[in-house]
Amino acid sequence: MTGARIEPLLLLHALGRFQQDADSELRYSAVEKDLQSLLTEYGPPNRTTPAYPFHHLVSDGVWEVRTDHGHGSPGTGVRVLRETGATGRLAPELQTALRREPELLGRMARLLLDLHFPPSLHSELCEAVGLELEPSETAHLVPARRQRDRRMRELVLTAYEYRCAFCGYNGRIGTVPVGLEAVHVRWWAFGGPDKVDNGLCLCSLHHKLFDKGVLGVDDGHRILVSQHFVGHSPAAREHVVALAGRPLIGPQPGTPPVAADHRAWHTSQVFHGTPRPATAA
């Protein structure tokens, strides 16, 4: 894909529509609002319009666009896509393959999710685009280009002494940690290594907010909170807004902190907007 997280979002949306109605087409003016919502919530922080993937996905050979004037996309202009009645659909060859082998849709969707988004977002993304994936549809995936290191979780949780690096949560059931997760700072899908200096131990809430760009980490290993985040409840203020400017908890001495290049990647590619100023102690 030429546009990281941009074209994949349109293709996931198209697969969801195809799953619901194999003969459906996506008229730009009718789906523009839905696509913009997907880009805002799951796309990169640099703003773009749905017109960009609607036009550029054609070059990947899986998408075609027609207008009231015939075959072919009129370009990336929002106005021209609206005025020409631009309509997109999955390429005929792909539609034929999906009809012939229904399980292919699930495998394609799972591969798109694995290659472009962190696991914490997969379920809600499927819900957002109307995809229903069954285990049987995803059991025979194309092997990933890299193998994950299964030791990553234990190494990261040990490095942070089984505490959320943002809030200090350290819940257990007996001796088993619950609600604590090893997080890739630079997403694995974008070349992030399975190493401690690319990891954080976070509670489930802060993991999701970190992957959604609400939270980040600055060069001084302090917590960033996006000004785009809005939450007026005491819980939102205590568990999110009040984190602004706080130092990370951990890692323990002798363990490498998050590497500068991974922090920089997350700040530029995931974190949304400008950080809030540090809250008063």
Side-chain angles (χ1 to χ4, degrees):
M1 297 292 167
T2 56
R5 286 188 284 156
I6 299 176
E7 279 103 331
L9 283 170
L10 172 57
L11 186 50
L12 284 167
H13 183 73
L15 289 172
R17 290 288 292 270
F18 184 89
Q19 189 179 55
Q20 298 165 28
D21 178 3
D23 296 318
S24 66
E25 295 183 329
L26 279 69
R27 192 173 183 88
Y28 180 81
S29 58
V31 300
E32 181 180 7
K33 185 177 180 180
D34 289 342
L35 291 177
Q36 186 61 66
S37 295
L38 286 173
L39 287 170
T40 299
E41 189 160 1
Y42 301 102
N46 50 304
R47 294 184 64 83
T48 187
T49 70
Y52 180 93
F54 205 90
H55 169 78
H56 284 288
L57 188 59
V58 172
S59 64
D60 289 334
V62 296
W63 179 252
E64 68 173 20
V65 175
R66 295 177 181 272
T67 69
D68 295 338
H69 308 300
H71 186 79
S73 172
T76 58
V78 170
R79 184 172 179 177
V80 70
L81 285 169
R82 292 171 182 162
E83 293 179 348
T84 59
T87 301
R89 65 174 184 173
L90 297 174
E93 297 83 358
L94 178 55
Q95 291 192 45
T96 299
L98 291 172
R99 289 188 174 96
R100 184 175 60 244
E101 186 182 355
E103 296 84 1
L104 178 60
L105 187 147
R107 297 203 300 271
M108 281 186 63
R110 180 60 66 192
L111 195 60
L112 285 167
L113 291 167
D114 286 342
L115 292 178
H116 298 282
F117 304 93
S120 67
L121 302 183
H122 289 184
S123 294
E124 65 176 76
L125 233 178
C126 285
E127 184 175 350
V129 300
L131 271 170
E132 295 184 9
L133 301 185
E134 300 294 334
S136 60
E137 293 177 320
T138 60
H140 305 291
L141 291 176
V142 176
R145 292 169 292 178
R146 296 185 293 133
Q147 294 296 316
R148 293 178 183 263
D149 188 340
R150 295 181 179 179
R151 300 171 300 168
M152 169 77 169
R153 181 178 186 276
E154 187 62 29
L155 291 172
V156 170
L157 266 59
T158 298
Y160 286 85
E161 301 182 282
Y162 294 87
R163 294 180 299 174
C164 174
F166 286 177
C167 70
Y169 168 84
N170 62 349
R172 296 173 182 263
I173 293 181
T175 61
V176 179
V178 290
L180 287 172
E181 300 165 1
V183 178
H184 284 75
V185 177
R186 180 196 293 263
W187 294 352
W188 190 88
F190 287 82
D194 288 327
K195 294 184 177 181
V196 172
D197 70 358
N198 186 41
L200 285 171
C201 175
L202 296 179
C203 66
S204 300
L205 170 65
H206 292 136
H207 181 181
K208 178 61 70 68
L209 296 179
F210 189 71
D211 282 347
K212 295 290 281 285
V214 173
L215 301 175
V217 179
D218 71 10
D219 292 339
H221 299 277
R222 292 180 177 273
I223 302 169
L224 301 175
V225 178
S226 173
Q227 288 187 343
H228 291 179
F229 176 80
V230 177
H232 300 296
S233 69
R237 292 196 299 269
E238 178 183 354
H239 297 300
V240 184
V241 177
L243 296 177
R246 284 188 190 175
L248 292 182
I249 301 171
Q252 61 177 288
T255 304
V258 180
D261 57 335
H262 302 320
R263 293 196 312 271
W265 182 90
H266 186 274
T267 300
S268 65
Q269 299 299 316
V270 180
F271 186 76
H272 279 271
T274 304
R276 288 173 174 262
T279 57

